[in-house]
Amino acid sequence: MFEQLLLFFGSIDVRLQAGDVILILLEQGIPVLLKHVSRRFSSKKRTRRIEVELEDKISALPDELLVQILSLVPTKDAVATMILSKRWRYIWTMVPKLDYNMNDGIHKVGFLDFLFGKSYQRWFLRFIDESLLVHKAPVLEKLAIELGGKCPVDVNVDVGKWIEKAVVSKVREIELVLMWSAEHTSLPKSLYTCNTLASLSLFGKIIVDVPSLACLPSLEELELNSVVYKDEDSLARLLSSCPNLKYLDVERHPQDNVKIFNIKAPLLENLYYLYVELRSHDEGTGGGTLAIDSPALNEIFIADYSGDSCSIENKPRLDKAFISGSCYPDDKFMTCLSSVRYLELVLNFATFVWFNTINFSQLLECKIRLVHELDWLEPLMFLLQNSPNLKVLSIDKTFIRYVEESPLSWNQPSSVPECLSSHLEIFEWNEYGGRNEEKELVKYIFANSNCLQRARFSLKSTGKKNKKKMMEELGSMSRISTSSQLLFSTELEYVSVIYETCSGFGPIFRIFSGYFGLEV
């Protein structure tokens, strides 16, 4: 029966989106929809009878199956099925996932204005109110609400009421995005004592005001994006109320009321921290602090451009790290980086010193991103000297804006780095420009990398003749590893085994497909 149902849905004209189907229902009635569907799979001799039979077959399915089907479509479309028949009137109320996005269907504003005599946004707010009021699934797996900039400010929007309804419904996941032009809003205290909540994502004009008795025993994933904290104590109470927190994603802005951002979470494994308060190198520190006390931390992503200091306690054994920005880590933080096996680093003046002071004894794969023209060759050689087990090295100059090329200096090391003589297998360079000093670096790596398996180059856009010349120059360079491959492409994308942490739980691979035009 389920396979037949899938075939039925698959027969609908793919040009019709679910929201369009619902609006056809509202505007012209169910017969129009059935006529459109039957056009694809019925003969002209069996129109009306098959339409009725198909409707009866779907309606005869068990409630559990219908609920599963409605869980796969947008909430507004699932709710709209209540007008199909008495059989469908209350099916949608048992759907365990509710997703309200004010930006969906915005192109239908004219029709909805005519239908309701109000704007689409006003109708949408009323729709959330009334649908949540009658929703009766025993467990709400997910509530997602996104209100955009066009949300009317002269309407009393009770976000707290929606959250309280979710808490009563034993919600497991909440995503709340408030990008409206109204003032920041606080959330009900019951949110911070919800013992079923496993994932919480707050974005935008939200005040995080955490009561002293907060307790979130099931929370494992937390995202705080551009929110404002009542004070630093609220942040501390929030994190201390989550004893099982394993994934934390923070994106800050300068007016969030926090000077010392203290992350204390004993079971935290993955940390994503973004703070964009742009400062030049000459401006020095920002006066704030990022303090991390998470002994189980395994993966860390820090893009901090505030100039703040950064400290870490309890010596977590980091495995993967992405570091960017102008933060100033203390000695303990840099010591923790010595355990990483996968490192992605954006080079700047603040990170230069790391290469000469940190012993990356466990490092297997390293990607270096350059966003400014700096004299980076010598720091790179320090990195190679201090990474004896490195197997994959990637240089990425994609994000450099070539206004004026800064001078580079190349000094051949007095001794060959151990990683080149014994371990390096993959060498990649994105946006290779073919400067004399860069050529000397490539020659040195080719001449000393005994285990090299492949070298890949994406060439800087300097015209076809120049690209051909660069390819010929690279192809003529002697490689000590006779079995290595040399690959070129003008559209090379980095092929990485570095893990990427995202809002889903745990690491996933980032996979790119490149086009390699020449193999030597």
Side-chain angles (χ1 to χ4, degrees):
M1 179 67 73
F2 186 67
E3 292 179 354
Q4 294 174 347
L5 186 63
L6 290 177
L7 289 174
F8 166 70
F9 280 110
S11 67
I12 298 177
D13 192 330
V14 295
R15 292 172 297 179
L16 269 183
Q17 302 297 319
D20 297 325
V21 172
I22 298 304
L23 289 176
I24 290 175
L25 282 171
L26 293 172
E27 289 181 278
Q28 301 183 27
I30 297 172
V32 174
L33 176 63
L34 293 176
K35 182 178 180 181
H36 178 83
V37 173
S38 64
R39 189 181 306 144
R40 293 297 306 273
F41 65 89
S42 301
S43 66
K44 294 181 180 180
K45 298 180 181 180
R46 299 182 298 165
T47 54
R48 182 61 182 169
R49 179 172 59 83
I50 292 183
E51 290 167 7
V52 174
E53 287 179 357
L54 284 172
E55 183 183 6
D56 289 341
K57 286 182 179 181
I58 297 173
S59 300
L61 292 171
D63 286 1
E64 293 79 5
L65 182 54
L66 293 179
V67 168
Q68 289 183 29
I69 294 171
L70 293 185
S71 298
L72 303 176
V73 302
T75 297
K76 60 184 177 62
D77 297 346
V79 174
T81 60
M82 67 186 296
I83 69 172
L84 291 173
S85 67
K86 290 182 179 180
R87 170 75 175 90
W88 287 84
R89 183 171 298 174
Y90 301 109
I91 295 295
W92 75 268
T93 65
M94 300 301 293
V95 172
K97 297 181 180 180
L98 298 176
D99 192 343
Y100 302 98
N101 189 337
M102 180 170 281
N103 296 321
D104 288 347
I106 203 71
H107 59 289
K108 302 295 183 182
V109 169
F111 165 73
L112 292 168
D113 281 344
F114 168 77
L115 184 64
F116 296 101
K118 299 179 180 181
S119 70
Y120 170 77
Q121 290 83 6
R122 294 173 186 271
W123 169 86
F124 188 83
L125 295 174
R126 182 182 173 187
F127 170 67
I128 298 177
D129 278 334
E130 296 184 355
S131 59
L132 278 174
L133 185 64
V134 297
H135 187 264
K136 57 183 182 181
V139 174
L140 183 56
E141 292 292 335
K142 179 180 179 180
L143 174 65
I145 299 175
E146 180 173 347
L147 303 183
K150 293 186 177 181
C151 181
V153 297
D154 59 341
V155 177
N156 183 20
V157 181
D158 195 347
V159 176
K161 180 176 66 176
W162 302 338
I163 299 298
E164 287 176 343
K165 166 65 176 179
V167 172
V168 171
S169 300
K170 302 177 182 178
V171 65
R172 290 189 51 79
E173 180 179 355
I174 291 179
E175 292 181 8
L176 180 61
V177 179
L178 300 183
M179 299 303 293
W180 57 16
S181 56
E183 296 298 320
H184 287 72
T185 186
S186 296
L187 302 178
K189 289 180 171 54
S190 60
L191 170 66
Y192 302 107
T193 56
C194 180
N195 58 15
T196 61
L197 190 63
S199 177
L200 175 62
S201 177
L202 304 177
F203 186 108
K205 303 184 84 169
I206 298 170
I207 300 175
V208 177
D209 183 5
V210 183
S212 57
L213 298 179
C215 182
L216 297 166
S218 301
L219 196 70
E220 295 187 349
E221 300 180 31
L222 176 61
E223 296 184 27
L224 303 167
N225 193 325
S226 302
V227 299
V228 170
Y229 306 90
K230 180 185 177 183
D231 48 36
E232 291 180 356
D233 289 339
S234 279
L235 172 63
R237 283 194 293 270
L238 175 58
L239 294 178
S240 65
S241 70
C242 311
N244 294 303
L245 188 66
K246 295 181 179 179
Y247 176 86
L248 177 60
D249 184 336
V250 175
E251 295 189 27
R252 297 181 60 191
H253 63 84
Q255 288 78 42
D256 62 5
N257 290 335
V258 174
K259 199 68 173 177
I260 300 177
F261 203 96
N262 198 341
I263 299 174
K264 189 171 184 178
L267 299 184
L268 188 66
E269 297 176 354
N270 303 315
L271 172 61
Y272 178 104
Y273 181 88
L274 174 63
Y275 190 11
V276 179
E277 185 183 5
L278 296 178
R279 292 174 176 269
S280 69
H281 174 64
D282 298 330
E283 288 183 275
T285 62
T289 299
L290 169 63
I292 303 170
D293 187 356
S294 302
L297 198 60
N298 180 258
E299 300 180 22
I300 192 169
F301 177 107
I302 294 182
D304 187 349
Y305 294 86
S306 65
D308 288 351
S309 62
C310 184
S311 65
I312 197 164
E313 299 291 336
N314 284 320
K315 298 181 180 179
R317 188 168 181 80
L318 298 177
D319 187 56
K320 305 172 184 69
F322 174 95
I323 308 292
S324 175
S326 55
C327 58
Y328 294 86
D330 63 7
D331 291 341
K332 292 180 181 179
F333 191 99
M334 290 195 289
T335 300
C336 290
L337 290 178
S338 64
S339 67
V340 298
R341 295 190 301 158
Y342 306 95
L343 175 65
E344 190 165 338
L345 192 65
V346 176
L347 274 190
N348 54 39
F349 292 106
T351 55
F352 267 3
V353 67
W354 299 3
F355 290 175
N356 197 27
T357 57
I358 301 177
N359 181 18
F360 295 99
S361 59
Q362 306 299 314
L363 189 61
L364 299 178
E365 178 175 348
C366 182
K367 181 172 185 178
I368 303 298
R369 291 187 184 274
L370 291 100
V371 295
H372 303 289
E373 271 292 354
L374 304 169
D375 191 359
W376 55 275
L377 296 182
E378 185 176 5
L380 176 64
M381 296 313 299
F382 285 140
L383 171 68
L384 296 181
Q385 292 284 5
N386 290 326
S387 307
N389 295 300
L390 189 67
K391 291 187 176 183
V392 179
L393 174 63
S394 174
I395 299 169
D396 189 352
K397 299 180 69 177
T398 303
F399 300 101
I400 289 184
R401 295 182 178 180
Y402 290 93
V403 179
E404 182 177 345
E405 290 186 335
S406 300
L408 290 176
S409 57
W410 166 253
N411 296 303
Q412 184 169 308
S414 57
S415 61
V416 177
E418 183 180 347
C419 65
L420 295 186
S421 58
S422 304
H423 296 287
L424 190 70
E425 298 175 355
I426 297 173
F427 175 53
E428 298 180 342
W429 192 322
N430 205 3
E431 286 293 295
Y432 173 77
R435 298 176 63 178
N436 289 331
E437 295 82 5
E438 293 176 342
K439 286 188 282 188
E440 292 300 319
L441 171 63
V442 176
K443 287 179 181 178
Y444 184 78
I445 291 177
F446 281 0
N448 292 282
S449 298
N450 295 306
C451 303
L452 190 65
Q453 296 178 6
R454 65 176 183 268
R456 292 174 173 170
F457 290 86
S458 164
L459 305 180
K460 177 183 172 183
S461 299
T462 56
K464 290 184 177 180
K465 290 184 178 180
N466 286 337
K467 286 183 179 179
K468 183 178 180 181
K469 180 181 178 182
M470 282 190 284
M471 293 169 70
E472 291 174 347
E473 288 175 344
L474 291 168
S476 65
M477 293 180 186
S478 175
R479 302 193 300 275
I480 191 173
S481 175
T482 57
S483 62
S484 61
Q485 291 179 307
L486 180 59
L487 304 172
F488 296 96
S489 174
T490 56
E491 298 180 25
L492 176 66
E493 293 188 41
Y494 180 57
V495 180
S496 174
V497 296
I498 288 184
Y499 288 98
E500 179 185 52
T501 303
C502 62
S503 57
F505 206 73
I508 60 172
F509 282 107
R510 183 190 300 173
I511 302 174
F512 294 100
S513 59
Y515 300 90
F516 306 109
L518 175 65
E519 183 171 327
V520 180

